[in-house]
Amino acid sequence: MPRQIRRWGPPLLLISPTLILLGVFVYGLLTINATTSMKDVHNAAQANGREPVSFVWFQNYIDLFGSEEFQHSLKNLVIYTVVFLAGTMIFGFLWAWLLDRPVRFEGVFRSIYLFPMAVSFVASGVVWRWLLNSNQGENASGLNRLFQMIGLPFLQNNWWNNVDVGIAAIAIPAIWQLSGYVMALFLAGFRGVPEELREAARMDGSSTWQMYRHVIFPQLSPVALSAVIIVGHMSLKAFDLIMSISKPANYQTKVPAIDMYVFKSSFDYSNAAAVGAILLVIVAVLIVPYLVHLNRTETHK
């Protein structure tokens, strides 16, 4: 036993602060959140202890999934995620592909593409709120005014005020802001392809397109998977950009993160915790398979 203590004691002592912090502030709070989601804390009196609270187990989850408003929030989340993910992947990949070829002033273009990342979602949301103004005709402003000035009035629309797909309009500034990050990931992937593979393809008589299609693009699959996971989980946590452009009470731009904020603001802690748990499960469904795949890849190396 003393030998075991001397062997494992120092390493455990070294990482014990991290384990304690993780246990308290991550897993401990997750446990509290899960417990709260199974209680009936739905008003200020119950939240402050003036009225009794009881366990209802999974009833809050059943009520949420049966609610038309929460179903609308989930639908908005799917629309936002699909548009955001597709836009950032397409534009990020295209910009990286263009910069992989010999381009003058490459550093300037990289800086321009990456600059939106330096702007907070709140600050950009204020600007995009004006750009995505829904006024049309003589009162048009923002993009609608631009379309009117260049003779394309048929492109005018009510943007995020559309009840069915308004959330897709809010994905536009998110794409503008995160495409540069995806570009940096893909560009690192392009530059990580060994020059020997490129030379071998040229010696085999491959054209530039054939070299990219059959040699370079297949090498980018790990980068693409990482980008999808990172951008996908960021879209699930969308909150500050939506709050900056729209309002929590706006039905057309509701997502689960907004619902959680609204529930919490009205002392409905149980439903807020339930929404948080649902988001955690959704993120885990995306992240856990990726981590398993990554672990298997590292093991077989």
Side-chain angles (χ1 to χ4, degrees), residues 37 58-79 236 238 248 250-264 268 270-282:
S37 71
F58 296 103
Q59 188 60 47
N60 292 322
Y61 295 93
I62 295 172
D63 293 341
L64 277 175
F65 283 111
S67 166
E68 187 274 335
E69 289 198 357
F70 189 68
Q71 292 174 11
H72 179 74
S73 297
L74 291 175
K75 187 194 80 170
N76 278 350
L77 182 62
V78 172
I79 295 173
L236 295 176
N250 286 344
Y251 176 80
Q252 59 269 29
T253 55
K254 274 164 37 73
V255 293
I258 299 295
D259 285 333
M260 183 167 58
Y261 172 81
V262 173
F263 283 136
K264 182 263 177 188
D268 191 348
S270 290
N271 277 330
V275 174
I278 292 170
L279 285 176
L280 177 64
V281 171
I282 295 174

Side-chain angles (χ1 to χ4, degrees), residues 18 24 33 36 38 110 122 185 194:
T18 302
V24 174
N33 183 85
T36 304
M38 296 181 184
R110 276 206 314 264
V122 174
L185 292 178

Side-chain angles (χ1 to χ4, degrees), residues 171-232:
I172 296 175
I175 293 170
W176 169 79
Q177 200 148 2
L178 268 298
S179 292
Y181 174 72
V182 177
M183 177 213 69
L185 292 178
F186 275 116
L187 188 58
F190 276 118
R191 298 292 164 80
V193 176
E195 188 63 30
E196 292 79 5
L197 290 178
R198 299 174 187 254
E199 290 296 333
R202 294 190 187 100
M203 292 180 65
D204 288 341
S206 299
S207 64
T208 301
W209 165 245
Q210 289 174 331
M211 178 184 67
Y212 273 99
R213 180 184 177 185
H214 298 291
V215 177
I216 298 178
F217 289 166
Q219 303 290 322
L220 299 178
S221 55
V223 176
L225 178 60
S226 299
V228 168
I229 295 299
I230 294 171
V231 175

Side-chain angles (χ1 to χ4, degrees), residues 95-109:
W95 291 344
W97 187 15
L98 292 174
L99 289 179
D100 183 55
R101 304 179 180 188
V103 178
R104 295 184 63 185
F105 308 112
E106 177 186 330
V108 175
F109 286 114

